[in-house]
Amino acid sequence: GNIIIADAGKEKPLMGEVIATGPGIVNMNGTLIPNEVPVGATVVFPAFGGQRITVGNEEYVVCKEQDLLVILEK
């Protein structure tokens, strides 16, 4: 049983600009691992990735660094 999905039904990844980052993530040993994505970088993320937040008429996506598909340096 295979499932065939037409190309039009596939979700395309989205692009956005990083406007802010957190300090990073703490590993199992309690060591802070800083983010590698710089503010201002253009990133590609999955269409259903991250949490979407709307402030006024602007939409923002909050996601983990490891959820990003591509990081394009500015």
Side-chain angles (χ1 to χ4, degrees):
N2 292 333
I3 298 174
I4 300 173
I5 301 174
D7 189 45
K10 295 180 183 176
E11 287 297 323
K12 306 289 188 228
L14 303 174
M15 294 181 87
E17 180 181 348
V18 176
I19 60 169
T21 64
I25 189 167
V26 178
N27 68 9
M28 299 281 281
N29 298 326
T31 305
L32 178 67
I33 301 171
N35 287 323
E36 295 183 18
V37 180
V39 172
T42 301
V43 295
V44 179
F45 54 94
F48 289 108
Q51 177 67 42
R52 284 166 173 63
I53 300 171
T54 303
V55 178
N57 59 356
E58 293 287 326
E59 183 180 32
Y60 300 95
V61 178
V62 179
C63 64
K64 295 180 181 180
E65 185 177 66
Q66 58 263 36
D67 292 340
L68 299 176
L69 301 174
V70 177
I71 302 168
L72 304 171
E73 297 295 327
K74 205 169 194 189

